[in-house]
Amino acid sequence: MGSREDIEAVRRSLRSGILPVELLPGGKAIVLGSGDRHVTRDELRAQAEQVAGGLHDLGVKPGDRVGLYSASHLDWVIAYLGAQRAGACVVPMNPDYHSAEVEHIAGNAEPLIVIADAERAKVLGGLGLRSVDVHDPPRGVPPPMPNLTPESPAAILYTSGTTGRPKGAVLDHGGLLAQARGAIEMWRWTNRDILVHALPLFHLHGLGMGLHGTLLSRGSATLIPFSPQAVVAELTRNDAKRGTMFFGVPAMYQRLCDWLDENPVDLSHVRLFVSGSAPLPPALFERCERLLGQPPVERYGITEGGIVVTNPYDGPRQPGRVGIPFPGVEVMLGEKDEVLLKGGQVFKGYWRNEAATKESFTPDGFFKTADVGEIGDDGTLAIRGRLKELIISGGFNVYPREVELVLETHPAVEEVAVAGVPSEAWGEEVTAFVVPAKTHPLVESELIAFARERLATYKCPRRIVLIEQLPRNAMGKVERSRLRTPEQAS
Ligand code: AMP
């Protein structure tokens, strides 16, 4: 599966193949806004150049790591582009991370300096790490354009680590640009688009798609903290800054739909909604179709491999399927139906972790995603779950997502996550953690019987545990390792 386009052609189509040249072209048009503050391309470039000068004066040289540890903000973007302009390899950190997580990342990436807001600077101080203020960064005379190539590391993104400790995926300039270019082509992104950007900037979704895509397409973006009201307000403004697109994770679409149910608004003029980073349940797909006026385009990606597969912009958007590869990306299924990726977007390895790098590629150079996939007759991909989340019950393999998809269609189920709970009789027992729907009573035996009508017996939950909400990480992904039965919790 995959387009046969020459991967290198994607890279060659760019002028220089490095971020500070491609993303900072200058111009009078407004590019970014948040609240009342807006910057034009010229202003953005001038500010990034000054920050690059300040970092240079502090001793930052091309290739040095510069940490970025702050809440999302226009100043985050300026600091990021300043560090890119200085030739640094940026290490964005989740602002929700606590001291131990920051210590792990800083110990691995060894940033020369970290750009942080006041709250996070305290954490850094406690770890003896040097920081500068993201809202008042050092400024200086811009250094010469760094001597970089598309293969130079541009950023190290630490995996969200829902299992094990985060690993640093090294993403190079050419890969990040190929990725943004792919999104522009696949989603017909133009300089007339205004993205309502409410995603975290430290993650590939908000950074590689949201920010890089905006800058490379010469479009604009409005940065906002996520809330359904704020998103709707941006998409329905009565001025030239009205948003044309919104990118979100399924948990955001869930909240958006809950809000729209109470406060119906006509959003049929919005050009595009995109969903990714976690599965979009088919029921939510249909709810979005009804309340937003169109279903979101669901896409699939992974930090190491890039955002690489999407439902078509024009063709049918299929619930439960993630679509076809971006230009220059090859997708294949390996052993146990593992999704394998190759292409200009795919990373080359983990930072200072050769063993993990070696383990994550096949001998012929495909990245092993650890996601289980299925490729349909029409060539589209569906994600069935993570290999590591496989439940082995009574010697049979059960993929939690397959069971969740069935339970999600029951009216008494608001949300559900399925996991294996250790059991003497079965090895692991298929257990469904259910957030009950407010509108419909949930009878456990009824839900189990419902599953039995639709799934082989060994896949059916033996037990239902009612919970108030699913444990999720910053990207809205369910963290199955944090699910606990009452006995496990006590
Ligand atoms: P991250 O590296 O944080 O972007 O997480 C990547 C993981 O998110 C993938 O390996 C998938 O397990 C999951 N993921 C991303 N997009 C989707 C999607 N559309 N459907 C199902 N899982 C997804």
Side-chain angles (χ1 to χ4, degrees):
M1 173 194 193
S3 88
R4 294 286 153 218
E5 273 195 40
D6 180 4
I7 292 154
E8 291 309 313
V10 176
R11 290 176 171 227
R12 276 200 302 271
S13 67
L14 298 159
R15 285 176 302 150
S16 70
I18 65 166
L19 294 170
V21 174
E22 307 287 347
L23 301 187
L24 289 170
K28 302 240 171 304
I30 296 238
V31 54
L32 284 172
S34 75
D36 291 333
R37 190 173 154 207
H38 292 87
V39 289
T40 63
R41 285 178 185 277
D42 281 336
E43 286 159 354
L44 189 65
R45 181 162 75 176
Q47 296 211 31
E49 297 216 296
Q50 287 170 12
V51 173
L55 292 172
H56 179 79
D57 294 345
L58 288 173
V60 172
K61 296 179 299 304
D64 283 340
R65 271 82 55 219
V66 167
L68 192 42
Y69 181 38
S70 139
S72 286
H73 193 279
L74 200 51
D75 290 337
W76 192 107
V77 176
I78 292 166
Y80 172 78
L81 292 169
Q84 289 296 353
R85 176 63 182 75
C89 171
V90 182
V91 184
M93 287 184 244
N94 183 340
D96 288 337
Y97 275 169
H98 294 281
S99 178
E101 289 149 317
V102 174
E103 189 175 20
H104 166 67
I105 292 178
N108 185 240
E110 296 186 333
L112 192 88
I113 200 151
V114 183
I115 307 173
D117 52 19
E119 197 185 323
R120 279 87 191 173
K122 285 189 214 138
V123 176
L124 296 165
L127 293 169
L129 292 163
R130 190 173 163 208
S131 67
V132 292
D133 186 356
V134 68
H135 300 303
D136 185 17
R139 294 172 197 274
V141 178
M145 190 56 85
N147 192 9
L148 303 170
T149 72
E151 280 69 41
S152 306
I156 304 178
L157 298 196
Y158 281 76
T159 54
S160 48
T162 48
T163 47
R165 294 197 99 181
K167 295 189 288 264
V170 183
L171 305 182
D172 66 24
H173 287 260
L176 284 168
L177 287 166
Q179 145 111 73
R181 180 61 149 253
I184 290 167
E185 265 179 52
M186 295 300 269
W187 301 332
R188 313 271 167 82
W189 199 333
T190 74
N191 61 4
R192 291 182 302 283
D193 276 311
I194 302 177
L195 173 68
V196 178
H197 192 319
L199 285 163
L201 286 163
F202 66 85
H203 187 270
L204 192 64
H205 196 169
L207 182 70
M209 295 273 107
L211 180 65
H212 294 172
T214 297
L215 296 174
L216 197 64
S217 67
R218 313 285 182 261
S220 308
T222 305
L223 301 173
I224 53 165
F226 176 79
S227 77
Q229 295 91 316
V231 171
V232 171
E234 290 301 329
L235 293 173
T236 52
R237 304 171 63 120
N238 269 332
D239 58 21
K241 298 195 187 87
R242 179 196 274 200
T244 65
M245 307 195 283
F246 172 71
F247 296 173
V249 300
M252 290 178 174
Y253 283 102
Q254 180 84 37
R255 285 184 54 197
L256 199 52
C257 285
D258 288 348
W259 193 83
L260 286 168
D261 251 342
E262 301 286 314
N263 311 274
V265 177
D266 181 9
L267 294 175
S268 56
H269 59 275
V270 177
R271 189 177 78 73
L272 178 65
F273 291 95
V274 176
S275 172
S277 293
L280 182 72
L284 182 55
F285 175 101
E286 276 157 30
R287 240 182 128 202
C288 286
E289 188 165 25
R290 189 160 47 79
L291 293 164
L292 305 176
Q294 60 174 298
V297 166
E298 184 173 10
R299 65 36 171 204
Y300 160 80
I302 178 164
T303 302
E304 295 90 330
I307 290 164
V308 283
V309 177
T310 178
N311 271 277
Y313 180 75
D314 293 319
R317 300 174 187 177
Q318 299 186 66
R321 306 196 71 80
V322 291
I324 52 169
F326 275 36
V329 176
E330 270 183 77
V331 179
M332 246 177 45
L333 298 184
E335 270 175 47
K336 296 193 186 142
D337 290 336
E338 182 174 14
V339 177
L340 306 178
L341 303 174
K342 198 186 236 181
Q345 286 89 326
V346 178
F347 86 141
K348 295 195 194 69
Y350 295 105
W351 181 255
R352 294 187 178 152
N353 194 342
E354 256 176 57
T357 301
K358 198 150 179 255
E359 234 172 71
S360 62
F361 284 93
T362 65
D364 50 352
F366 278 84
F367 170 64
K368 293 153 66 177
T369 62
D371 285 314
V372 180
E374 177 255 315
I375 297 177
D377 293 338
D378 61 356
T380 63
L381 178 72
I383 302 296
R384 293 288 176 239
R386 303 275 301 156
L387 268 182
K388 287 186 195 123
E389 288 164 2
L390 182 72
I391 304 169
I392 304 181
S393 188
F396 289 106
N397 292 352
V398 181
Y399 289 104
R401 186 74 200 130
E402 188 185 352
V403 184
E404 288 165 6
L405 279 168
V406 168
L407 298 178
E408 276 168 4
T409 63
H410 193 281
V413 174
E414 171 83 33
E415 283 191 296
V416 56
V418 168
V421 171
S423 133
E424 273 183 29
W426 301 98
E428 283 183 294
E429 207 170 65
V430 180
T431 306
F433 295 81
V434 175
V435 180
K438 291 178 193 75
T439 48
H440 207 283
L442 190 142
V443 181
E444 285 177 37
S445 55
E446 222 178 73
L447 188 58
I448 293 178
F450 177 84
R452 292 203 168 195
E453 283 168 27
R454 292 163 178 82
L455 289 166
T457 311
Y458 71 91
K459 295 181 188 171
C460 292
R462 298 195 170 267
R463 188 166 169 201
I464 310 285
V465 177
L466 298 185
I467 52 175
E468 274 175 26
Q469 59 179 37
L470 300 182
R472 293 183 190 277
N473 71 10
M475 291 307 291
K477 264 192 261 284
V478 176
E479 296 179 296
R480 287 194 175 74
S481 58
R482 281 175 51 206
L483 292 164
R484 297 271 179 282
T485 61
E487 304 83 72
Q488 286 176 312
S490 63

